[in-house]
Amino acid sequence: MSEPVVVDAMGGDHGPVETVAGAVAARRELGIPVLLVGRAGDIRAELDRHGAAAEIDVVHAEDVVPMAERGAGAVSSGTTSLTVGCDLVRRGAASAFVSAGSTGAVVSCAIRGIGRATGVLRPALAIALPSVTGGATVLIDAGATSDPTPEMIAQFALLGVSYARLVLGVADPSVGLLSIGSEPGKGNRLTRRAGELLPDLPLRFHGNVEGHDVLAGTVDVIVTDGFTGNVVLKNVEGSVRAALTLVARSGVAGAEDLREVARRYDPETHGGAALLGLSGTVVVAHGSSRAATIARACAVAHDLAEGGIATRFGDHLATEPVR
């Protein structure tokens, strides 16, 4: 694959310093072709610091979308690093897009600039969280759509199943609907209606699952709305950090063991969440991403694009519509 992964150099809390450093690491250490988009002067200054000006091309984009932008305002200008980056993917000049910018803004620009795959109602963010069983559970939606319809949640489940099959290699993924109780009928109106739709889809529906099932390996895919999913994701990250701090203070586990657990749940390890349901590949990294996380996000995007995962998701959903 000759097309590079385009990185939003201006996105995140630490762009362009950390984003450019991450792109350089992806190019030099992982062998991934990258392209940087954003304010060319700022980007080239950072590339010069790394002695990488001759290694990575830059596409100028004058404007920057603020991290506080929720989405609608992000698509009003065609000269932001987000809109220009998505356009590069749409035109085939880049294989994938990576950004640590505002999730809502990235989603809006990706929908407008790249487009939804055939049959997709709304894209969703998928992230594979390590479970205590040694495997992983796909959490979807992890923050792309805060107020979905029940039909969208049902389709998120199909996207999650496809991700578990194509990326994690799970032959027949089980799906759980996140709710406040495992009994059928528990939850708010949105969850209850989604729970009525899921049994009729071509997937192995386990039923409702609860918050304590997220890391337990109870199911292969946990589906929920983006508001709840993002709260769950941030809670997992914070809870793991707090637990490891307490264990470290107690002295009951060795430093190396603690580092290994921390590594499994560190955003640097998974790089970011895949935005599924588009006609191209987009990976959204944590807003606080440092260089190592950006480099890992580039690797995730590269692998997804090289495997043609976005197209294969679209093919699956085109044959399994949600009514």
Side-chain angles (χ1 to χ4, degrees), residues 4 8 44 50 55 74 105 108 116 129 147 152 160 185 211 223 295 307 318 321:
D8 171 19
R44 291 196 174 102
H50 297 278
E55 301 174 45
S108 295
R116 293 189 293 264
L129 295 174
D147 296 300
M152 289 176 187
V223 63

Side-chain angles (χ1 to χ4, degrees), residues 79-90:
T79 59
T80 69
S81 56
L82 290 182
T83 53
V84 173
C86 288
D87 186 62
L88 288 167
V89 175
R90 181 188 62 80

